[in-house]
Short mmCIF file of all heavy atoms in Angstrom, two decimals:
data_model
loop_
_atom_site.label_atom_id
_atom_site.label_comp_id
_atom_site.label_asym_id
_atom_site.label_seq_id
_atom_site.Cartn_x
_atom_site.Cartn_y
_atom_site.Cartn_z
N LYS A 344 -12.23 -47.27 14.21
CA LYS A 344 -11.86 -47.01 12.82
C LYS A 344 -11.13 -45.68 12.68
O LYS A 344 -10.16 -45.56 11.93
CB LYS A 344 -13.10 -47.03 11.93
CG LYS A 344 -13.70 -48.42 11.75
CD LYS A 344 -14.90 -48.37 10.81
CE LYS A 344 -15.47 -49.77 10.58
NZ LYS A 344 -16.64 -49.76 9.68
N ILE A 345 -11.63 -44.67 13.41
CA ILE A 345 -10.96 -43.36 13.36
C ILE A 345 -9.54 -43.46 13.87
O ILE A 345 -8.59 -42.95 13.28
CB ILE A 345 -11.77 -42.32 14.17
CG1 ILE A 345 -13.13 -42.07 13.50
CG2 ILE A 345 -10.99 -41.01 14.30
CD1 ILE A 345 -14.05 -41.17 14.32
N MET A 346 -9.35 -44.16 15.01
CA MET A 346 -8.01 -44.31 15.56
C MET A 346 -7.12 -45.12 14.61
O MET A 346 -5.93 -44.81 14.45
CB MET A 346 -8.10 -45.03 16.92
CG MET A 346 -8.82 -44.24 18.01
SD MET A 346 -7.97 -42.69 18.45
CE MET A 346 -9.00 -41.51 17.59
N SER A 347 -7.69 -46.13 13.98
CA SER A 347 -6.91 -46.94 13.05
C SER A 347 -6.45 -46.11 11.86
O SER A 347 -5.31 -46.25 11.38
CB SER A 347 -7.74 -48.14 12.57
OG SER A 347 -8.12 -48.95 13.66
N SER A 348 -7.34 -45.24 11.39
CA SER A 348 -6.97 -44.37 10.27
C SER A 348 -5.83 -43.43 10.64
O SER A 348 -4.93 -43.16 9.83
CB SER A 348 -8.20 -43.56 9.80
OG SER A 348 -9.24 -44.43 9.37
N LEU A 349 -5.86 -42.95 11.85
CA LEU A 349 -4.80 -42.05 12.29
C LEU A 349 -3.46 -42.78 12.39
O LEU A 349 -2.39 -42.20 12.16
CB LEU A 349 -5.16 -41.42 13.64
CG LEU A 349 -6.36 -40.48 13.66
CD1 LEU A 349 -6.65 -40.03 15.09
CD2 LEU A 349 -6.12 -39.27 12.78
N LEU A 350 -3.51 -44.08 12.72
CA LEU A 350 -2.27 -44.84 12.88
C LEU A 350 -1.53 -45.03 11.57
O LEU A 350 -0.30 -45.19 11.56
CB LEU A 350 -2.59 -46.21 13.50
CG LEU A 350 -2.88 -46.22 15.01
CD1 LEU A 350 -3.29 -47.61 15.46
CD2 LEU A 350 -1.67 -45.75 15.80
N VAL A 351 -2.25 -45.04 10.46
CA VAL A 351 -1.59 -45.30 9.17
C VAL A 351 -1.15 -44.01 8.50
O VAL A 351 -0.72 -44.03 7.34
CB VAL A 351 -2.54 -46.08 8.23
CG1 VAL A 351 -2.87 -47.44 8.82
CG2 VAL A 351 -3.81 -45.29 7.95
N PHE A 352 -1.25 -42.85 9.19
CA PHE A 352 -0.73 -41.62 8.61
C PHE A 352 0.76 -41.76 8.37
O PHE A 352 1.49 -42.32 9.22
CB PHE A 352 -0.98 -40.44 9.55
CG PHE A 352 -2.37 -39.86 9.45
CD1 PHE A 352 -3.31 -40.39 8.57
CD2 PHE A 352 -2.76 -38.78 10.24
CE1 PHE A 352 -4.58 -39.85 8.47
CE2 PHE A 352 -4.03 -38.26 10.15
CZ PHE A 352 -4.95 -38.80 9.26
N PRO A 353 1.26 -41.26 7.25
CA PRO A 353 2.71 -41.34 7.00
C PRO A 353 3.50 -40.46 7.95
O PRO A 353 2.96 -39.58 8.62
CB PRO A 353 2.82 -40.86 5.55
CG PRO A 353 1.62 -40.00 5.34
CD PRO A 353 0.53 -40.60 6.18
N LYS A 354 4.81 -40.71 7.95
CA LYS A 354 5.68 -39.91 8.81
C LYS A 354 6.14 -38.65 8.08
O LYS A 354 5.93 -38.48 6.91
CB LYS A 354 6.89 -40.76 9.22
CG LYS A 354 6.54 -41.98 10.04
CD LYS A 354 7.79 -42.75 10.43
CE LYS A 354 7.45 -43.99 11.25
NZ LYS A 354 8.65 -44.76 11.63
N GLY A 355 6.78 -37.79 8.85
CA GLY A 355 7.34 -36.58 8.27
C GLY A 355 6.31 -35.52 7.97
O GLY A 355 5.20 -35.51 8.52
N ASN A 356 6.68 -34.61 7.06
CA ASN A 356 5.83 -33.47 6.75
C ASN A 356 4.49 -33.90 6.14
O ASN A 356 3.46 -33.28 6.37
CB ASN A 356 6.57 -32.53 5.78
CG ASN A 356 5.79 -31.25 5.52
OD1 ASN A 356 5.14 -31.12 4.51
ND2 ASN A 356 5.91 -30.30 6.44
#
Side-chain angles (χ1 to χ4, degrees):
K344 289 182 178 180
I345 294 174
M346 294 297 102
S347 300
S348 299
L349 294 176
L350 283 175
V351 298
F352 278 0
K354 297 181 180 180
N356 186 260

